[in-house]
């Protein structure tokens, strides 16, 4: 696959996608949207891949939309941002949330605008100590997108989410960890080692079980407890039929390490 705006490597069951427009803090232009879409399609089809690791090259993770593509001359027609959301950002978030394996995000630097919310849509978010998160939208008259108005209040509560969105203040990674917005903040030089170790660990675990867990979590925000109990019953029935469950129980009984295959 020929890629200009990102790189893709696959090793030990982990697909690593690195956003790669460092001079623009990895902000999205149309080419990057297209390439990411293609890469994710390929990753989803590859049965050897059991975890996705998303990160950025350079001093930023992602600064959201490339505003250079939105700088219209006075008097000309406004860009249709709804179309951009519909065609690019929404499908991206939906794909990240429904891949049949876990998604780890290694936030290597500033994550702003859609870049912040793309990171938050991932299952497990690690961030470099020097990284930060900014709901930058309010600074340019936009609303938080890419699922931010759904994700952020659920992660950190309404009061903090509202203030971050309206003030557009930079939230340092350590504070994001303290508020439960991300899983962990690590020293800058340790970030990629820790993220890769975590992603490889996940890729050797029962992938089908993770997929079903993701489905249960996705439904929990709108389900009643009764509905969720029924869903857990149905998904557990499926998990109980997996090869990995059989292997997990056998390994426990035989006092050995399980060899999960993701099936
Ligand atoms: O439009 C649609 O399709 C709708 C969807 C919108 C989704 C969105 O994401 S809207 C929000 C867009 N993003 C922003 O508003 C963030 C803009 N960037 C910033 O506020 C700052 O750059 C940061 C706070 C992220 C980082 O600040 P700092 O001081 O560390 O870096 P910098 O000097 O501002 O940026 C470094 C370079 O990257 C700089 O270029 P230069 O001067 O070295 O040539 C800067 O212009 C460029 N850059 C940073 N962000 C963007 C960008 N260029 C284009 N678009 C960007 N978003």
């Amino acid at each position: 696959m020929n890629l200009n705006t990102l790189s893709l490597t696959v090793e030990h069951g982990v697909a690593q996608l690195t956003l790669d427009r460092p001079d623009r803090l990895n902000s999205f232009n149309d080419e990057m949207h297209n390439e990411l879409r293609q890469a994710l399609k390929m990753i989803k089809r590859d049965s050897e891949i059991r975890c996705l690791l998303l990160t950025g090259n350079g001093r930023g993770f992602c600064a959201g939309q490339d505003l250079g593509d939105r700088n219209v001359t006075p008097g000309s027609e406004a860009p249709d941002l709804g179309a951009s959301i519909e065609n690019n950002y929404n499908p991206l978030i939906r794909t990240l949330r429904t891949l049949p394996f876990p998604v780890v995000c290694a936030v290597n630097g500033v994550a702003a605008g859609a870049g912040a919310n793309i990171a938050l849509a991932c299952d497990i978010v690690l961030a470099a100590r020097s990284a930060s998160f900014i709901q930058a939208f309010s600074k340019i008259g936009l609303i938080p997108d890419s699922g931010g108005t759904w994700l952020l209040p659920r992660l950190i509560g309404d009061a903090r989410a509202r203030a971050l969105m309206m003030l557009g203040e930079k939230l340092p990674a350590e504070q994001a960890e303290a508020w439960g917005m991300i899983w962990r903040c690590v020293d800058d030089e340790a970030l990629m080692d820790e993220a890769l170790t975590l992603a490889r660990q996940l890729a050797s675990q029962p992938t089908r079980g993770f997929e079903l867990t993701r489905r249960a979590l996705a439904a929990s925000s709108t389900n009643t407890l009764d509905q969720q109990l029924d869903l857990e019953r149905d998904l557990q029935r499926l998990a109980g039929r997996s090869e990995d469950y059989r292997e997990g129980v056998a390994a426990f009984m035989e006092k050995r390490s399980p060899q999960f295959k993701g099936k």
Side-chain angles (χ1 to χ4, degrees):
M1 198 175 195
N2 217 3
L3 298 167
N4 295 318
T5 63
L6 43 96
S7 66
L8 172 62
T9 56
V10 180
E11 228 181 331
H12 304 293
V14 176
Q16 180 176 329
L17 264 175
T18 306
L19 306 178
D20 196 10
R21 301 183 69 232
D23 56 325
R24 301 286 95 186
L25 299 183
N26 303 323
S27 56
F28 277 91
N29 60 7
D30 286 347
E31 187 180 23
M32 194 160 98
H33 275 301
N34 287 334
E35 292 190 349
L36 188 54
R37 201 170 16 251
Q38 293 308 316
L40 286 170
K41 206 178 277 180
M42 206 198 78
I43 287 167
K44 196 174 177 176
R45 276 202 302 254
D46 187 336
S47 59
E48 296 303 307
I49 295 173
R50 293 169 60 191
C51 183
L52 169 64
L53 171 58
L54 184 62
T55 191
N57 182 25
R59 74 175 182 86
F61 167 67
C62 174
Q65 175 63 38
D66 187 325
L67 296 177
D69 293 349
R70 296 288 181 265
N71 196 11
V72 290
T73 49
S76 56
E77 207 179 320
D80 182 355
L81 302 194
S84 166
I85 299 293
E86 178 70 16
N87 299 325
N88 296 320
Y89 292 99
N90 283 358
L92 170 59
I93 299 300
R94 288 190 173 113
T95 299
L96 291 175
R97 297 291 277 196
T98 55
L99 283 171
F101 41 73
V103 183
V104 173
C105 187
V107 181
N108 51 299
V110 65
N117 295 334
I118 289 165
L120 299 182
C122 299
D123 291 296
I124 300 183
V125 185
L126 295 178
R129 210 166 292 285
S130 66
S132 55
F133 296 82
I134 312 177
Q135 296 293 320
F137 309 89
S138 60
K139 304 272 187 198
I140 54 170
L142 293 186
I143 71 149
D145 56 32
S146 303
T149 57
W150 191 91
L151 287 161
L152 206 54
R154 284 173 169 78
L155 288 167
I156 60 174
D158 191 71
R160 285 170 170 162
R162 272 173 201 260
L164 285 183
M165 288 173 182
M166 291 183 183
L167 300 174
E169 279 183 11
K170 190 181 272 200
L171 187 74
E174 282 184 349
Q175 191 66 55
E177 182 195 51
W179 283 3
M181 196 172 109
I182 61 168
W183 170 238
R184 196 175 286 163
C185 161
V186 301
D187 290 338
D188 287 18
E189 54 283 4
L191 178 71
M192 285 319 292
D193 276 354
E194 290 221 16
L196 270 168
T197 302
L198 179 65
R200 283 177 190 166
Q201 181 196 329
L202 290 167
S204 68
Q205 298 299 304
T207 310
R208 178 86 175 120
F210 287 148
E211 181 189 2
L212 299 173
T213 302
R214 297 181 105 216
R215 275 169 58 183
L217 287 171
S220 75
S221 55
T222 48
N223 271 353
T224 62
L225 175 60
D226 259 347
Q227 290 169 323
Q228 195 68 10
L229 288 172
D230 287 348
L231 179 65
E232 288 176 2
R233 174 203 58 209
D234 295 343
L235 297 179
Q236 197 71 296
R237 182 171 286 138
L238 295 177
R241 290 178 185 145
S242 68
E243 281 182 34
D244 283 340
Y245 169 63
R246 196 171 285 221
E247 166 63 5
V249 174
F252 177 80
M253 296 308 293
E254 293 159 21
K255 300 192 186 304
R256 61 173 174 80
S257 300
Q259 299 296 311
F260 294 120
K261 297 197 177 108
K263 293 186 176 143

